Amino acid sequence: MLPLLAAEVLVGLPVSDWFAKGSGVRRAPYGPLLSAAAYLHVGREASPHNFQLTLALVQCHAALGSVHEATRLYHALGVKHIQQDSLSHLILPPLLRCGALEQAATVLNPAQRFAKDGLRDMPDSLQLAFSSDNYVEALEFVQFQGHLEASWWRRLVVVAAIVHQLPLRLRTAPSQPQPPADALQTALD
């Protein structure tokens, strides 16, 4: 963990603030970020399975604008299905801000699948919980469904997916424009 601490001291900010903070972009200076990247790479070579070092490297490369390397490292983490909602926010905003739509699609698709699968499987999960007389679990499923439906991150992923598909849709647009509700439903499917 010393490389991570050294990187944060060099940059003068916690890793989470290297690319963005709050509603605006707040980039750390490039010189300290390059030094931090060197320390983090050395640390990762010594401990290749350290999740925190790899996450810090993802954010460092995103802050430097090195979207290909950030995406490669993100996928090297082997993010599990259930982790999509909590980890995709680290890489998706920098990719979209840099215009790296191809790399963003590799993060968007699993994040969208997570939300769709979670909502699609909910009725079966509730029925199983009730039939097993496990009412606490049924309540947890209902709460999870509420969190998924109200998630601002889910909404952002949907909007980002629509924006990502926009150039393709404009190239193959029919002569008659679709009504907005139909276009949104097509994008969500």
Side-chain angles (χ1 to χ4, degrees), residues 54-100:
T54 306
L55 281 177
L57 262 172
V58 166
Q59 291 179 290
C60 188
H61 282 286
L64 287 167
S66 175
V67 293
H68 293 290
E69 184 64 12
T71 306
R72 186 190 69 75
L73 287 165
Y74 179 80
H75 290 303
L77 287 170
V79 176
K80 305 289 186 259
H81 188 66
I82 194 73
Q83 296 172 313
Q84 290 298 328
D85 196 44
S86 57
L87 291 177
S88 61
H89 77 279
L90 296 175
I91 185 79
L92 194 54
L95 293 177
L96 293 174
R97 193 170 242 327
C98 293

Side-chain angles (χ1 to χ4, degrees), residues 101 109 112 116 157-189:
L101 297 180
N109 294 338
Q112 280 184 298
K116 283 182 182 178
V157 166
V158 168
V159 169
I162 291 169
V163 169
H164 174 259
Q165 294 173 359
L166 203 57
L168 176 64
R169 290 185 188 281
L170 289 176
R171 278 182 271 165
T172 60
S175 58
Q176 293 290 350
Q178 268 185 312
D182 293 344
L184 180 61
Q185 187 58 43
T186 303
L188 293 174
D189 290 336

Side-chain angles (χ1 to χ4, degrees), residues 43-58:
R44 189 165 182 270
E45 285 176 12
S47 183
H49 302 292
N50 187 316
F51 205 76
Q52 288 179 313
L53 285 175
T54 306
L55 281 177
L57 262 172
V58 166

